[in-house]
Amino acid sequence: IKVAASGFAKDEKAAGEIAGKTKELFLSRLDNVFKDFFKFRYDVVNAVLAGADLSIYRLYRRSQDVGKIAGSDSTFHFIALHRRLKNITKKSAHENVSENYLVEKEEKILFDIFKESKAKIENSITEYQYMQACSEFLEMKPVIDEFFDKVLVMAEDQNIRENRIALLKKLDQLL
Protein backbone atom coordinates (compact mmCIF):
# COMPACT_ATOMS: atom_id res chain seq x y z
CA ILE A 1 0.00 0.00 0.00
CA LYS A 2 2.84 2.36 0.87
CA VAL A 3 4.55 1.82 -2.49
CA ALA A 4 1.32 2.49 -4.35
CA ALA A 5 0.57 5.54 -2.21
CA SER A 6 3.99 7.03 -2.89
CA GLY A 7 3.06 7.19 -6.62
CA PHE A 8 0.15 9.52 -5.83
CA ALA A 9 1.62 11.61 -3.06
CA LYS A 10 3.60 14.83 -3.16
CA ASP A 11 5.89 13.80 -0.30
CA GLU A 12 6.53 11.12 2.37
CA LYS A 13 4.02 12.58 4.80
CA ALA A 14 1.22 12.59 2.24
CA ALA A 15 2.16 9.05 1.17
CA GLY A 16 1.86 7.92 4.78
CA GLU A 17 -1.55 9.53 5.11
CA ILE A 18 -2.80 7.97 1.86
CA ALA A 19 -1.45 4.55 2.88
CA GLY A 20 -3.11 4.84 6.30
CA LYS A 21 -6.48 5.80 4.83
CA THR A 22 -6.25 3.06 2.20
CA LYS A 23 -5.44 0.43 4.85
CA GLU A 24 -8.32 1.70 6.98
CA LEU A 25 -10.70 1.45 4.00
CA PHE A 26 -9.45 -2.05 3.13
CA LEU A 27 -9.88 -3.28 6.70
CA SER A 28 -13.36 -1.76 7.00
CA ARG A 29 -14.45 -3.58 3.84
CA LEU A 30 -12.87 -6.80 5.08
CA ASP A 31 -14.66 -6.27 8.40
CA ASN A 32 -17.99 -6.14 6.54
CA VAL A 33 -17.25 -9.22 4.44
CA PHE A 34 -16.15 -11.27 7.46
CA LYS A 35 -19.18 -10.29 9.53
CA ASP A 36 -21.90 -10.18 6.87
CA PHE A 37 -20.84 -12.79 4.32
CA PHE A 38 -18.88 -15.31 6.41
CA LYS A 39 -20.95 -14.67 9.57
CA PHE A 40 -17.93 -14.50 11.87
CA ARG A 41 -18.67 -13.09 15.31
CA TYR A 42 -18.06 -9.35 15.60
CA ASP A 43 -15.66 -9.75 18.54
CA VAL A 44 -13.63 -12.32 16.61
CA VAL A 45 -13.39 -10.06 13.56
CA ASN A 46 -12.43 -7.06 15.69
CA ALA A 47 -9.69 -9.06 17.41
CA VAL A 48 -8.30 -10.52 14.19
CA LEU A 49 -8.33 -7.25 12.27
CA ALA A 50 -6.63 -5.37 15.13
CA GLY A 51 -3.26 -6.79 14.03
CA ALA A 52 -1.05 -5.35 11.32
CA ASP A 53 -1.49 -8.28 8.93
CA LEU A 54 -3.10 -7.56 5.56
CA SER A 55 -3.04 -11.08 4.10
CA ILE A 56 -6.67 -11.92 3.42
CA TYR A 57 -6.02 -15.65 3.59
CA ARG A 58 -4.23 -15.45 6.97
CA LEU A 59 -6.94 -13.15 8.34
CA TYR A 60 -9.64 -15.52 7.12
CA ARG A 61 -7.94 -18.59 8.62
CA ARG A 62 -7.29 -16.74 11.86
CA SER A 63 -10.95 -15.68 12.02
CA GLN A 64 -12.07 -19.28 11.54
CA ASP A 65 -9.86 -20.61 14.30
CA VAL A 66 -10.35 -17.72 16.71
CA GLY A 67 -14.08 -18.24 16.25
CA LYS A 68 -13.68 -21.90 17.21
CA ILE A 69 -11.55 -20.98 20.20
CA ALA A 70 -14.00 -18.26 21.26
CA GLY A 71 -16.76 -20.86 21.27
CA SER A 72 -14.76 -23.33 23.35
CA ASP A 73 -14.13 -23.74 27.06
CA SER A 74 -10.55 -22.46 26.55
CA THR A 75 -11.69 -18.87 26.03
CA PHE A 76 -11.85 -18.04 29.71
CA HIS A 77 -8.32 -19.39 30.27
CA PHE A 78 -6.88 -17.30 27.44
CA ILE A 79 -8.63 -14.12 28.54
CA ALA A 80 -7.70 -14.52 32.20
CA LEU A 81 -4.09 -15.34 31.40
CA HIS A 82 -3.76 -12.52 28.89
CA ARG A 83 -5.24 -10.01 31.35
CA ARG A 84 -2.96 -11.21 34.14
CA LEU A 85 0.15 -11.04 31.97
CA LYS A 86 -0.75 -7.59 30.58
CA ASN A 87 -1.39 -6.17 34.04
CA ILE A 88 2.02 -7.29 35.27
CA THR A 89 4.06 -6.41 32.19
CA LYS A 90 2.38 -3.27 30.82
CA LYS A 91 4.84 -0.78 32.34
CA SER A 92 7.98 -2.79 31.82
CA ALA A 93 10.42 -2.22 28.98
CA HIS A 94 12.55 -5.24 29.89
CA GLU A 95 12.37 -8.06 27.36
CA ASN A 96 15.58 -10.02 27.81
CA VAL A 97 15.47 -13.01 30.12
CA SER A 98 18.75 -13.93 31.77
CA GLU A 99 19.11 -17.48 33.01
CA ASN A 100 21.46 -16.14 35.68
CA TYR A 101 18.52 -14.48 37.41
CA LEU A 102 16.20 -17.48 37.32
CA VAL A 103 16.27 -18.49 40.98
CA GLU A 104 13.18 -20.54 41.79
CA LYS A 105 12.62 -24.03 40.41
CA GLU A 106 9.22 -23.03 38.96
CA GLU A 107 10.61 -20.12 36.96
CA LYS A 108 13.42 -22.27 35.58
CA ILE A 109 10.89 -24.89 34.50
CA LEU A 110 8.64 -22.23 32.96
CA PHE A 111 11.53 -20.72 31.02
CA ASP A 112 12.60 -24.15 29.71
CA ILE A 113 9.08 -25.02 28.64
CA PHE A 114 8.66 -21.58 27.06
CA LYS A 115 11.82 -22.05 24.98
CA GLU A 116 10.67 -25.51 23.92
CA SER A 117 7.09 -24.46 23.11
CA LYS A 118 7.92 -21.16 21.39
CA ALA A 119 9.28 -22.80 18.23
CA LYS A 120 6.30 -25.18 18.01
CA ILE A 121 3.79 -22.37 18.48
CA GLU A 122 5.49 -20.07 15.98
CA ASN A 123 5.71 -22.93 13.47
CA SER A 124 1.99 -23.66 13.90
CA ILE A 125 1.20 -19.97 13.31
CA THR A 126 3.41 -19.90 10.22
CA GLU A 127 1.50 -22.90 8.87
CA TYR A 128 -1.87 -21.24 9.70
CA GLN A 129 -2.56 -23.89 12.33
CA TYR A 130 -3.94 -21.47 14.92
CA MET A 131 -5.91 -24.11 16.83
CA GLN A 132 -2.72 -26.14 17.20
CA ALA A 133 -0.84 -23.04 18.39
CA CYS A 134 -3.50 -22.41 21.03
CA SER A 135 -3.41 -26.02 22.10
CA GLU A 136 0.37 -25.83 22.49
CA PHE A 137 0.04 -22.68 24.56
CA LEU A 138 -2.63 -24.19 26.79
CA GLU A 139 -0.28 -27.11 27.48
CA MET A 140 1.91 -24.57 29.31
CA LYS A 141 -0.96 -23.38 31.50
CA PRO A 142 -0.33 -25.75 34.46
CA VAL A 143 3.32 -24.65 34.53
CA ILE A 144 2.31 -20.98 34.31
CA ASP A 145 -0.20 -21.49 37.13
CA GLU A 146 2.46 -23.19 39.24
CA PHE A 147 4.78 -20.25 38.59
CA PHE A 148 2.16 -17.76 39.79
CA ASP A 149 1.34 -19.93 42.83
CA LYS A 150 4.93 -20.39 43.99
CA VAL A 151 6.96 -17.42 42.72
CA LEU A 152 6.75 -13.83 43.91
CA VAL A 153 7.06 -11.87 40.67
CA MET A 154 7.70 -8.56 42.44
CA ALA A 155 10.82 -9.78 44.23
CA GLU A 156 12.83 -7.33 46.31
CA ASP A 157 15.93 -7.81 44.14
CA GLN A 158 15.41 -5.55 41.12
CA ASN A 159 17.32 -7.80 38.71
CA ILE A 160 15.28 -10.85 39.67
CA ARG A 161 12.02 -8.86 39.49
CA GLU A 162 12.83 -7.43 36.05
CA ASN A 163 13.88 -10.87 34.82
CA ARG A 164 10.60 -12.42 35.98
CA ILE A 165 8.61 -9.65 34.34
CA ALA A 166 10.63 -10.11 31.12
CA LEU A 167 9.77 -13.83 31.18
CA LEU A 168 6.09 -13.02 31.58
CA LYS A 169 6.35 -10.45 28.80
CA LYS A 170 7.79 -13.13 26.49
CA LEU A 171 4.82 -15.37 27.35
CA ASP A 172 2.37 -12.55 26.68
CA GLN A 173 3.97 -11.75 23.31
CA LEU A 174 3.73 -15.41 22.35
CA LEU A 175 0.10 -15.53 23.47
Side-chain angles (χ1 to χ4, degrees):
I1 293 175
K2 283 184 179 181
V3 173
S6 65
F8 297 101
K10 297 179 270 188
D11 55 33
E12 283 283 320
K13 184 180 177 189
E17 290 174 9
I18 292 170
K21 288 179 181 180
T22 304
K23 180 179 177 182
E24 190 178 310
L25 176 67
F26 174 76
L27 290 175
S28 72
R29 296 299 182 255
L30 204 52
D31 179 275
N32 291 338
V33 169
F34 281 7
K35 289 175 185 172
D36 297 338
F37 183 75
F38 291 115
K39 305 294 185 206
F40 292 136
R41 291 174 31 174
Y42 77 93
D43 55 340
V44 169
V45 175
N46 293 347
V48 169
L49 296 183
D53 194 355
L54 291 178
S55 165
I56 296 172
Y57 180 72
R58 279 193 300 265
L59 292 169
Y60 174 77
R61 289 290 307 270
R62 210 173 289 145
S63 294
Q64 283 182 314
D65 286 353
V66 169
K68 290 175 190 172
I69 294 163
S72 74
D73 296 335
S74 316
T75 305
F76 173 76
H77 298 297
F78 277 113
I79 292 169
L81 180 58
H82 178 65
R83 185 174 293 137
R84 189 172 198 182
L85 292 171
K86 277 287 182 226
N87 286 338
I88 293 171
T89 64
K90 64 184 168 191
K91 294 181 181 176
S92 176
H94 301 283
E95 293 191 14
N96 295 323
V97 178
S98 170
E99 292 191 53
N100 296 332
Y101 292 114
L102 297 174
V103 182
E104 303 293 332
K105 175 182 81 168
E106 292 80 11
E107 66 188 320
K108 291 176 182 177
I109 292 170
L110 179 57
F111 185 61
D112 289 341
I113 289 181
F114 166 77
K115 289 188 302 186
E116 181 182 308
S117 299
K118 185 176 188 280
K120 292 178 190 174
I121 292 169
E122 288 175 342
N123 187 50
S124 293
I125 291 169
T126 301
E127 295 177 3
Y128 312 118
Q129 301 295 322
Y130 303 110
M131 293 291 290
Q132 179 63 35
C134 289
S135 176
E136 292 281 347
F137 200 93
L138 281 178
E139 286 182 19
M140 292 192 298
K141 187 178 179 334
V143 178
I144 296 168
D145 291 343
E146 185 76 7
F147 170 85
F148 280 122
D149 289 344
K150 303 276 173 86
V151 176
L152 177 64
V153 175
M154 298 304 176
E156 287 185 33
D157 183 304
Q158 182 178 352
N159 292 323
I160 293 173
R161 179 177 57 246
E162 289 174 353
N163 201 55
R164 289 176 179 168
I165 292 172
L167 175 57
L168 295 176
K169 195 168 205 166
K170 293 278 188 201
L171 283 169
D172 188 46
Q173 289 168 345
L174 187 60
L175 179 61

